[in-house]
Amino acid sequence: MNVPPFIPEPIEIPGNVAEQSRRACLRFVRRTVAFHALSALLIALVACVPLRWLPAEAPGVGALATLVALSAVRNLAKGYPADLRISVLLAPFLWVMLGLTAGALARQGWPVWAPLVGVGCSLLYTLLSGRDHSFVGQYVLSLAASSLAIALICREAGIGRPASLWAQALNAGCLFYLVYDLAAVLTRRLPKEEWGAVVDLYRDVLNFLTYSLRVWHHWRKHRIWSATK
């Protein structure tokens, strides 16, 4: 008797990066982290554009709408080349909207610059660790280095304790999400799909919604709750 699991299995595609040799897997991780750092740099550059009249709500809605569109593209074109092509085409618009949102929030006093420090430390670890790379090490060592750097920046810039604590918390949360999702992406991407993996690192923020729908559909398909009564 085949008993279905209580929750759906994680998505895996044949020939994914996690099934390749360690050398190929590490090459994919290094390139993905580097490309993601480039996208974060683009967001930071857009955030520096002096648009003081622009509120955070307008580009924030645009960024959210783009994330929803990217999630829809993945669900509708999963496994087809159109998924990667459309996602990469939509990504620059998402980064611009995120940059404008970050710039508006920064002008309101939010320490949105802090995750950029964590991204930079994560990139340095990934490039320097070589074959000793591990996702646990990537998070722990990057967090330690970026936390120290943020503390020094806050002290030199005269940033108060509440804002400094927010900066540390924001960096720790974003860094954890980045490393955790990067490890998960390896089973959902093929070699040479690094830019697709970068887009996944952004749109996976909405996974709590899409995964909830998967769980509901799984329960309905296999009548999970009916079987437990």
Side-chain angles (χ1 to χ4, degrees), residues 67 71 74 177 181 200-209:
L67 287 173
S71 296
R74 178 169 58 186
Y177 166 79
D181 199 53
D200 288 342
L201 292 176
Y202 288 94
R203 65 179 157 194
D204 284 352
V205 171
L206 297 183
N207 270 3
F208 71 96
L209 291 176

Side-chain angles (χ1 to χ4, degrees), residues 10-12 18 135 177-189 200-201 204 207:
I11 297 175
E12 294 187 12
F135 291 112
Y177 166 79
L178 172 64
V179 177
Y180 179 85
D181 199 53
L182 177 61
V185 162
L186 298 184
T187 64
R188 295 187 269 118
R189 282 294 170 188
D200 288 342
L201 292 176
D204 284 352
N207 270 3

Side-chain angles (χ1 to χ4, degrees), residues 51-135:
L51 298 177
R52 299 187 179 278
W53 52 268
L54 184 66
E57 291 80 7
V61 170
L64 179 59
T66 309
L67 287 173
V68 172
L70 286 169
S71 296
V73 168
R74 178 169 58 186
N75 290 330
L76 295 175
K78 188 182 303 178
Y80 295 95
D83 173 23
L84 181 61
R85 294 171 185 170
I86 298 175
S87 297
V88 172
L89 285 175
L90 287 175
F93 180 78
L94 171 65
W95 298 332
V96 170
M97 292 296 103
L98 289 175
L100 294 176
T101 305
L105 291 175
R107 289 188 290 274
Q108 296 175 14
W110 289 90
V112 292
W113 52 269
L116 189 63
V117 181
V119 169
C121 292
S122 175
L123 175 62
L124 285 176
Y125 169 83
T126 305
L127 295 178
L128 297 177
S129 59
R131 294 185 62 85
D132 294 326
H133 175 276
S134 72
F135 291 112

Side-chain angles (χ1 to χ4, degrees):
M1 179 179 180
N2 184 20
V3 179
F6 186 73
I7 59 175
E9 298 287 343
I11 297 175
E12 294 187 12
I13 62 173
N16 62 67
V17 176
E19 296 177 352
Q20 310 304 312
S21 66
R22 177 160 178 80
R23 182 178 179 181
C25 185
L26 288 176
R27 182 170 60 248
F28 181 91
V29 169
R30 283 193 294 268
R31 289 170 63 88
T32 300
V33 171
F35 293 160
H36 177 265
L38 285 176
S39 70
L41 181 59
L42 173 61
I43 292 173
L45 291 175
V46 174
C48 293
V49 177
L51 298 177
R52 299 187 179 278
W53 52 268
L54 184 66
E57 291 80 7
V61 170
L64 179 59
T66 309
L67 287 173
V68 172
L70 286 169
S71 296
V73 168
R74 178 169 58 186
N75 290 330
L76 295 175
K78 188 182 303 178
Y80 295 95
D83 173 23
L84 181 61
R85 294 171 185 170
I86 298 175
S87 297
V88 172
L89 285 175
L90 287 175
F93 180 78
L94 171 65
W95 298 332
V96 170
M97 292 296 103
L98 289 175
L100 294 176
T101 305
L105 291 175
R107 289 188 290 274
Q108 296 175 14
W110 289 90
V112 292
W113 52 269
L116 189 63
V117 181
V119 169
C121 292
S122 175
L123 175 62
L124 285 176
Y125 169 83
T126 305
L127 295 178
L128 297 177
S129 59
R131 294 185 62 85
D132 294 326
H133 175 276
S134 72
F135 291 112
V136 173
Q138 183 178 356
Y139 178 69
V140 173
L141 295 180
S142 299
L143 179 64
S146 58
S147 296
L148 177 60
I150 290 171
L152 293 174
I153 292 172
C154 290
R155 188 182 69 176
E156 293 300 320
I159 298 175
R161 183 174 177 81
S164 178
L165 292 176
W166 271 111
Q168 295 286 7
L170 189 59
N171 173 63
C174 290
L175 191 58
F176 178 82
Y177 166 79
L178 172 64
V179 177
Y180 179 85
D181 199 53
L182 177 61
V185 162
L186 298 184
T187 64
R188 295 187 269 118
R189 282 294 170 188
L190 299 173
K192 298 185 179 181
E193 289 187 348
E194 290 89 351
W195 278 112
V198 171
V199 178
D200 288 342
L201 292 176
Y202 288 94
R203 65 179 157 194
D204 284 352
V205 171
L206 297 183
N207 270 3
F208 71 96
L209 291 176
T210 56
Y211 187 72
S212 298
L213 292 175
R214 282 189 61 211
V215 170
W216 177 79
H217 178 72
H218 178 78
W219 288 347
R220 186 177 180 184
K221 177 181 178 181
H222 296 286
R223 299 182 179 179
I224 298 294
W225 289 105
S226 298
T228 58
K229 290 180 180 180

